[in-house]
């Protein structure tokens, strides 16, 4: 999340991914002030104009928050309230409006007092490691950027080799150039590029792309499929956990694996589902937890946000996952939320 402190009460923010939007959902509260650019329909008072016809204009609005909710699971944030200031005198003060906040949209949040947890949430993703995953074969290439626990996919790139590895008119460097352009278009300068896939193509592409000297590049053995399937195979692999041990996805994956191991041992040092995890947190027993969008969809949204903030204030490590990864689907299948406990709780 990109942030800029205006004064002791006001901070401007730009969410960079779905994790940031979720954090903003946890930060913004009723009666906070939010300022941002939006569009508004103004009714026309001209003669002969249709009564239902209006002109949509861009306007800067400040509103007092009354309601906040996640739209489309974790992709958009709706902030509704009463307008108390606007850049256009035709926009009436006291009327209602909703901001639809998406990734890369900027707003300013003003609070009477910022809590330590709210400030921590603003900064929690700032030093997050990001990886560009490249699953390449002679036939095709899958590319995705992993930031936090979310995978952003690009469309597969096909080489046109027709599956004939030694076709005489197939120019692999032309294919490599296409892939390189796609990789650079999705990469940021601090990202690491991880290349894998069957055969020797991955090494040849790594040698090709290293000429740019722009990014840190790693080649991974043992992933024997290219394209989108190769990306998914990598995110389930031991190699992912070793290479990305400090990434949120690897940590979330490790928690799921430990939960499954404890379940097989009939241990009571884990929870599954919201109610179990909520009760364990009330006792101060939760050490770390992973939740998916299912936990938000199937429970009262504000109750979930209050629970997450309470857990974080107790030192719990929290990871959100979504359906873009196999780990997100696994958590959803386990009731939407799982946790590791500091000590066993008798059921």
């Amino acid at each position: 999340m990109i942030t800029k402190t205006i004064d002791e009460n006001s901070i401007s923010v730009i969410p960079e991914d779905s994790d940031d939007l979720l954090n903003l959902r946890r930060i913004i509260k009723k009666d906070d002030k939010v300022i941002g650019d939006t569009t508004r329909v103004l009714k026309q008072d001209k003669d002969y104009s249709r009564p239902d016809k209006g002109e949509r204009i861009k306007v800067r609005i400040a509103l007092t928050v009354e309601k906040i909710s996640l739209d489309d699971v974790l992709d958009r944030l709706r902030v509704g309230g009463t307008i108390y200031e606007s850049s256009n005198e035709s926009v009436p003060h006291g009327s209602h409006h909703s901001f639809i906040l998406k990734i890369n949209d900027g707003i300013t949040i003003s609070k009477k007092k910022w809590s330590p947890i709210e400030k921590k949430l603003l900064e929690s993703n700032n030093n997050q490691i990001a990886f560009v995953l490249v699953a390449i074969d002679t036939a095709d290439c899958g590319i995705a950027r992993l930031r936090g626990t979310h995978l952003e996919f690009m469309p597969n790139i096909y080489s046109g080799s027709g599956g004939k590895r030694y076709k005489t008119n197939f120019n692999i460097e032309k294919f490599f150039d296409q892939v390189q352009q796609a990789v650079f278009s999705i990469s940021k300068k601090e990202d690491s590029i991880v290349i894998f896939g069957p055969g020797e193509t991955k090494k040849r592409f790594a040698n090709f792309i290293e000429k740019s000297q722009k990014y840190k590049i790693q080649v991974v053995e043992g992933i024997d499929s290219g394209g989108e399937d190769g990306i998914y195979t990598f995110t389930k692999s031991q190699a992912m956990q070793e290479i990305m041990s400090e990434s949120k996805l690897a940590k979330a994956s490790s928690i799921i694996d430990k939960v499954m191991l404890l379940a097989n041992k009939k241990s009571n040092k884990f929870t599954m589902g919201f109610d179990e995890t909520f009760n364990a947190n009330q006792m101060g027993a939760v050490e770390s937890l992973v939740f998916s969008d299912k936990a938000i969809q199937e429970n009262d949204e504000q109750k979930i946000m209050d629970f997450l903030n309470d857990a974080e204030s107790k030192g719990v490590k929290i990871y959100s996952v979504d359906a873009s990864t196999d780990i997100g689907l696994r958590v959803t299948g386990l009731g939407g939320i799982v946790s590791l406990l500091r000590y066993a709780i008798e059921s």
Side-chain angles (χ1 to χ4, degrees), residues 91-151:
V91 176
H93 294 186
S95 61
H96 285 81
H97 187 80
S98 289
F99 288 115
I100 306 296
L101 190 63
K102 302 185 292 295
I103 292 167
N104 296 323
D105 287 347
I107 57 168
T108 297
I109 306 165
S110 184
K111 292 175 174 282
K112 290 180 180 177
K113 186 176 181 181
W114 287 79
S115 72
I117 286 297
E118 289 165 349
K119 288 187 175 181
K120 182 181 175 184
L121 287 169
L122 280 182
E123 299 168 0
S124 63
N125 291 338
N126 285 357
N127 298 317
Q128 199 161 254
I129 303 166
F131 300 87
V132 176
L133 310 181
V134 182
I136 192 166
D137 192 8
T138 51
D140 66 344
C141 179
I143 301 169
R145 186 171 187 262
L146 173 66
R147 188 173 189 270
T149 58
H150 181 74
L151 274 173

Side-chain angles (χ1 to χ4, degrees), residues 127-178:
N127 298 317
Q128 199 161 254
I129 303 166
F131 300 87
V132 176
L133 310 181
V134 182
I136 192 166
D137 192 8
T138 51
D140 66 344
C141 179
I143 301 169
R145 186 171 187 262
L146 173 66
R147 188 173 189 270
T149 58
H150 181 74
L151 274 173
E152 178 191 353
F153 280 90
M154 294 191 74
N156 268 14
I157 297 173
Y158 297 94
S159 68
S161 66
K164 296 179 181 177
R165 188 164 185 147
Y166 301 107
K167 191 174 177 182
T168 54
N169 62 350
F170 171 53
N171 185 343
I172 198 164
E173 292 216 350
K174 187 176 180 182
F175 173 48
F176 284 172
D177 189 56
Q178 281 183 291

Side-chain angles (χ1 to χ4, degrees), residues 176-219:
F176 284 172
D177 189 56
Q178 281 183 291
V179 174
Q180 177 177 266
Q181 288 181 40
V183 167
F184 288 174
S185 74
I186 202 174
S187 303
K188 296 188 177 179
K189 64 180 181 180
E190 63 276 10
D191 292 355
S192 289
I193 296 174
V194 183
I195 304 170
F196 44 88
E200 297 297 309
T201 310
K202 57 183 175 290
K203 292 180 182 176
R204 292 179 65 186
F205 178 65
N207 291 335
F208 180 88
I209 204 171
E210 276 177 348
K211 298 171 188 174
S212 67
Q213 297 293 317
K214 289 175 77 173
Y215 301 97
K216 180 183 176 183
I217 296 168
Q218 293 173 280
V219 177

